[in-house]
Amino acid sequence: MLAIDVPGFKELRLEYLVLDYNGTLACHGQLLAGVREKLAALAPHLEIHILTADTFGMAQDQVAHLPVRLIVLPPGKQAQAKCDHVRRLGGERTAALGNGRNDRLMLAEAVLGICVLLEEGVAVETLTAAQVVAPGILAALDLLLVPNSLKATLRD
């Protein structure tokens, strides 16, 4: 568990990290540099779930040796499927990261939604569903690895 008390915001007790794959952790199916190391550092504290349509068919190989659960979603209603996954885990115990329109509902369902801005851009609806916007996946993961950064961003 990752406990982060953010004055004037919330007392976070995170057990799960739910991540979008393409556009958040990966570009054109390839994990971005540094992601493996950050996920490995978070794994002792959070159960990590990666949700993807696996557009490029590479997700399984890319995360094969990481301590994560990969869930490949069927086509159609992916926004709702991602939200339902967070709800099953318990939104009050989950941080969610994403960038696409199909991530908006899971970011809203999670107690902590982080919108990640990469080359693919960000859907406006997802941006407004998040509590924090990060300028890349490494910065987003660092908010969890270095909780004082998150506190500085969200405190009242």
Side-chain angles (χ1 to χ4, degrees), residues 21 50-55 57-60 63 69-75 78 81 85:
Y21 186 72
I50 298 173
L51 308 181
T52 182
D54 202 13
T55 303
M58 302 165 73
Q60 182 64 50
V63 303
R69 293 182 185 192
L70 179 69
I71 296 98
V72 178
L73 301 171
Q78 291 184 353
H85 189 84

Side-chain angles (χ1 to χ4, degrees), residues 76-141:
K77 300 189 180 185
Q78 291 184 353
Q80 190 60 53
K82 288 180 175 187
C83 180
D84 291 346
H85 189 84
V86 169
R87 189 173 290 134
R88 278 190 299 276
L89 294 174
E92 72 283 355
R93 299 184 313 259
T94 304
L97 280 70
N99 74 310
R101 187 168 179 273
N102 67 358
D103 298 321
R104 72 192 187 284
L105 299 178
M106 78 168 180
L107 267 61
E109 183 69 27
V111 70
L112 177 64
I114 301 174
C115 187
V116 179
L117 176 60
L118 293 173
E119 290 81 11
E120 236 179 58
V122 170
V124 172
E125 292 166 89
T126 303
L127 179 71
T128 60
Q131 284 77 42
V132 178
V133 178
I137 186 57
L138 301 183
L141 295 173

Side-chain angles (χ1 to χ4, degrees), residues 21-22 25-33 35-36 56 58-59 62:
Y21 186 72
N22 279 304
L25 293 174
C27 186
H28 304 299
Q30 298 281 335
L31 276 179
L32 295 166
V35 167
R36 284 181 178 85
F56 295 93
M58 302 165 73
Q62 290 289 300

